[in-house]
Amino acid sequence: MSILKKIDLNNTPKHIAIIMDGNGRWAQQQGHSRLFGHNFGVESVREVLKAAQKTNVEYLTLYAFSTENWNRPQEEVDGLMDLLVRTIGNEVEELHKSNVKISTIGNILGLPESCGKELHEAHEKTKKNTGVNLILALNYSSRWELTNAAKNIAIKVESGKINADEIDEHTIISELNTSNIPDPELLIRTSGEYRVSNFLLWQIAYAEFYFTDVLWPDFKASDLYKAILDYQSRERRFGMVSEQIEKDS
Ligand code: FPP
């Protein structure tokens, strides 16, 4: 039986977030430059998106460039930006045809203009689509997002729009980049690293974590299905006890 057939389509995570890691090591293992690995990483993005479309996944968030990634060698940063612009430009038509809706989280204004323009066009073109939501986290970090949220709430309090004692979880959620997106139920990180690296810290409060040694350029459809199957084997309790979950289901 194929691994896809083992998945219970009534219980797939609606939102999967992925920390795509290991491009550099994958390339270096083969004696190539790190950028070679990023280029191959795009193949995995393509394959994983197609795989997600075969399940009931509605949101796929990919950590493509973190705020901290600016600290990499200039050549790699430039190469990554160039790759993003080229990939979005090349893929948007195909993604549109397959009903994918493209959006972003992160400080897009801090990206090179060409990148911002390509992303804006991709968003405009696909915004009415009703298939998988592909969310690219670019120039993103949770601490940046939460700091902005705090600032915006402070401004609202200062201007008398809200009272400080009215602030609740919803106030904060509404200031996040993900305000219209449900929290991920599953967070995947590739390449054998066990870190969250400033990614969706608020949103993963109840997410299941799946770590794999597979390097991102080797991560294929079957790896995504394995992660979903693993997720389906877990019991999500949200702070309750097993008996309560059984009674509710
Ligand atoms: C982490 O591997 C990967 C990145 C920082 C970049 C990921 C970007 C892509 C796969 C391109 C995505 C393109 C689109 C359009 C979504 P690493 O370089 O940290 O690897 P290492 O840990 O082995 O050094």
Side-chain angles (χ1 to χ4, degrees), residues 20-26 28 34 37-38 41-42 45 62-66 69 72 76 80 83-84 87-88 136 191 193 215-216:
M20 309 179 287
D21 198 8
N23 293 348
R25 273 164 287 165
W26 184 88
Q28 278 162 348
R34 298 176 54 81
H38 296 314
V42 174
V45 170
L62 303 177
Y63 206 6
F65 194 88
S66 74
N69 285 151
R72 294 192 172 200
E76 182 172 350
L80 267 170
L83 178 64
L84 281 165
T87 306
I88 295 158
L136 301 175
S191 92
E193 304 289 347
L215 302 175
W216 180 250

Side-chain angles (χ1 to χ4, degrees), residues 43-70:
E43 285 303 316
S44 299
V45 170
R46 209 175 276 130
E47 181 153 338
V48 164
L49 178 61
K50 281 198 185 129
Q53 288 172 317
K54 293 188 183 144
T55 67
N56 282 338
V57 172
E58 292 175 17
Y59 299 85
L60 184 67
T61 301
L62 303 177
Y63 206 6
F65 194 88
S66 74
T67 310
E68 290 78 15
N69 285 151
W70 294 113

Side-chain angles (χ1 to χ4, degrees), residues 56-244:
N56 282 338
V57 172
E58 292 175 17
Y59 299 85
L60 184 67
T61 301
L62 303 177
Y63 206 6
F65 194 88
S66 74
T67 310
E68 290 78 15
N69 285 151
W70 294 113
N71 298 324
R72 294 192 172 200
Q74 194 59 43
E75 191 190 332
E76 182 172 350
V77 171
D78 293 345
L80 267 170
M81 288 301 146
D82 187 50
L83 178 64
L84 281 165
V85 175
R86 260 187 299 125
T87 306
I88 295 158
N90 291 341
E91 304 285 327
V92 69
E93 204 51 58
E94 190 67 32
L95 293 171
H96 183 47
K97 272 192 211 142
S98 65
N99 203 17
V100 171
K101 185 171 167 179
I102 304 171
S103 61
T104 54
I105 54 172
N107 183 5
I108 303 306
L109 292 175
L111 292 171
E113 212 182 309
S114 57
C115 202
K117 187 169 162 278
E118 210 65 69
L119 289 164
H120 179 71
E121 284 173 14
H123 175 66
E124 282 301 309
K125 194 177 183 81
T126 63
K127 68 182 177 192
K128 296 206 176 97
N129 289 347
T130 53
V132 173
N133 289 272
L134 175 64
I135 301 153
L136 301 175
L138 288 163
N139 198 12
Y140 174 86
S141 83
S142 267
R143 288 184 178 183
W144 165 83
E145 181 185 40
L146 289 165
T147 306
N148 270 339
K151 266 189 214 156
N152 291 340
I153 295 167
I155 290 169
K156 284 185 182 162
V157 172
E158 235 171 27
S159 65
K161 275 198 186 130
I162 54 170
N163 291 321
D165 58 8
E166 283 168 7
I167 296 171
D168 60 11
E169 283 193 16
H170 301 288
T171 321
I172 295 168
I173 291 167
S174 68
E175 294 297 340
L176 299 178
N177 287 193
T178 52
S179 57
N180 297 319
I181 304 169
D183 287 346
E185 294 97 333
L186 176 62
L187 173 76
I188 298 173
R189 183 170 189 148
T190 58
S191 92
E193 304 289 347
Y194 302 90
R195 286 189 296 278
V196 180
S197 299
N198 216 348
F199 188 45
L200 301 175
L201 297 182
W202 173 283
Q203 297 88 338
I204 57 171
Y206 289 103
E208 297 292 330
F209 290 5
Y210 180 85
F211 296 106
T212 170
D213 286 341
V214 175
L215 302 175
W216 180 250
D218 288 330
F219 193 91
K220 300 298 169 204
S222 60
D223 297 292
L224 182 78
Y225 298 146
K226 265 189 228 160
I228 296 175
L229 275 176
D230 192 83
Y231 165 87
Q232 292 185 337
S233 72
R234 302 184 196 186
E235 181 187 69
R236 305 187 74 221
R237 292 206 295 270
F238 304 98
M240 293 184 276
V241 299
S242 296
E243 290 72 20
Q244 290 174 295

